[in-house]
Amino acid sequence: MKAIYLTGFMGAGKTTIGKRLSEALQVPVIDTDLYIEEKIGKKIADIFTEDGEQVFRKYEREYLRLLPNRDVVITTGGGIVIQEENRRWMMNNGHVIFLYCDIETIFDRVKTDPTRPLFDAVHKENTRRLYNQRMSFYNEAHFILDTTSKSFDDIVNSILLWLRSEQGGNNNY
Ligand SMILES: Nc1ncnc2c1ncn2[C@@H]1O[C@H](COP(=O)(O)OP(=O)(O)OP(=O)(O)O)[C@@H](O)[C@H]1O
Ligand SMILES: O=C(O)C1=C[C@@H](O)[C@@H](O)[C@H](O)C1
Ligand SMILES: [Mg+2]
């Protein structure tokens, strides 16, 4: 099976769905944010404050290429799609699945959280702007799934059905 890249805005459910999907498919899951934190030995929030967003984006771009591209679920950072070369890499190397979620639902899901430096739950207009700016990038996916009012089980089942159709109807993904 080609790698599955789960994309979407902060709070869209990438980590939660990625874990369940990896269990269903019996392949490992790798989270790009956690991978960077382990390799650099710093929390994302500290990379942003100490080194700046551009340095984080460089790590994101470089490490994406080092990850396996078969038999794996990769849950990506919410901003991975802003770099064109990342979008191209993922589209060429795996199944890109965009977990869409309405922004107001995202505000309900994600409260103020210091681990997400770009998520501003106080000045919501900043977060809405970021969300709108990125939408066309997220939409460049192989499969777009609206998760807004769906349960975790429904989301995972929809992805499995789509994967099966991509593989010509067999279950070997
Ligand atoms: N479909 C859903 N229904 C209800 N709650 C959800 C759904 N998807 C995600 N959530 C909740 O929203 C929160 C954020 O989910 P999660 O951490 O999986 O998102 P994420 O896309 O990985 O976010 P980030 O980009 O910030 O890492 C969690 O508390 C999760 O339980
Ligand atoms: O949406 C974003 O730009 C980000 C999302 C997180 O997953 C982290 O990758 C980081 O906080 C940046
Ligand atoms: Mg996550």
Side-chain angles (χ1 to χ4, degrees), residues 8-17 33 76-78 109-110 116 147 150-152 155:
F9 202 68
M10 293 171 273
K14 301 178 294 293
T15 298
T16 315
I17 298 302
D33 287 337
T76 60
R109 289 183 189 172
V110 181
R116 294 176 170 98
T147 72
K150 288 203 176 71
S151 69
F152 296 132
I155 296 165

Side-chain angles (χ1 to χ4, degrees), residues 7-65:
T7 65
F9 202 68
M10 293 171 273
K14 301 178 294 293
T15 298
T16 315
I17 298 302
K19 193 166 175 298
R20 286 171 178 247
L21 199 56
S22 84
E23 286 162 5
L25 294 169
Q26 297 190 300
V27 297
V29 61
I30 301 174
D31 185 275
T32 59
D33 287 337
L34 294 178
Y35 191 81
I36 292 169
E37 288 185 338
E38 277 170 27
K39 291 288 173 192
I40 303 301
K42 273 189 196 182
K43 291 287 175 196
I44 302 282
D46 294 331
I47 299 175
F48 268 70
T49 45
E50 292 168 22
D51 310 311
E53 179 174 349
Q54 288 317 310
V55 171
F56 173 73
R57 297 300 175 202
K58 177 172 152 301
Y59 294 150
E60 206 173 38
R61 188 170 63 241
E62 290 174 354
Y63 285 121
L64 177 64
R65 279 157 184 70

Side-chain angles (χ1 to χ4, degrees), residues 24-166:
L25 294 169
Q26 297 190 300
V27 297
V29 61
I30 301 174
D31 185 275
T32 59
D33 287 337
L34 294 178
Y35 191 81
I36 292 169
E37 288 185 338
E38 277 170 27
K39 291 288 173 192
I40 303 301
K42 273 189 196 182
K43 291 287 175 196
I44 302 282
D46 294 331
I47 299 175
F48 268 70
T49 45
E50 292 168 22
D51 310 311
E53 179 174 349
Q54 288 317 310
V55 171
F56 173 73
R57 297 300 175 202
K58 177 172 152 301
Y59 294 150
E60 206 173 38
R61 188 170 63 241
E62 290 174 354
Y63 285 121
L64 177 64
R65 279 157 184 70
L66 299 180
L67 298 178
N69 61 9
R70 292 204 68 80
D71 299 323
V72 67
V73 173
I74 297 176
T75 59
T76 60
I80 205 146
V81 296
I82 66 179
Q83 300 187 76
E84 204 257 334
E85 50 216 280
N86 293 346
R87 301 198 298 279
R88 199 170 343 119
W89 176 269
M90 295 189 293
M91 290 297 280
N92 289 337
N93 284 283
H95 301 288
V96 181
I97 300 177
F98 166 34
L99 299 182
Y100 170 87
C101 183
D102 176 277
I103 185 68
E104 302 310 321
T105 305
I106 284 182
F107 283 124
D108 289 339
R109 289 183 189 172
V110 181
K111 306 298 174 202
T112 301
D113 178 350
T115 67
R116 294 176 170 98
L118 294 181
F119 193 91
D120 192 340
V122 179
H123 309 98
K124 288 186 174 180
E125 64 281 7
N126 293 339
T127 310
R128 283 197 193 93
R129 191 178 317 113
L130 199 60
Y131 175 92
N132 289 326
Q133 278 169 357
R134 290 178 176 178
M135 206 41 66
S136 65
F137 297 147
Y138 291 131
N139 276 320
E140 286 179 29
H142 294 113
F143 182 46
I144 300 170
L145 183 61
D146 185 352
T147 72
T148 306
S149 46
K150 288 203 176 71
S151 69
F152 296 132
D153 279 351
D154 282 351
I155 296 165
V156 171
N157 285 334
S158 298
I159 293 173
L160 292 175
L161 269 178
W162 176 79
L163 276 174
R164 202 168 299 159
S165 70
E166 281 293 285

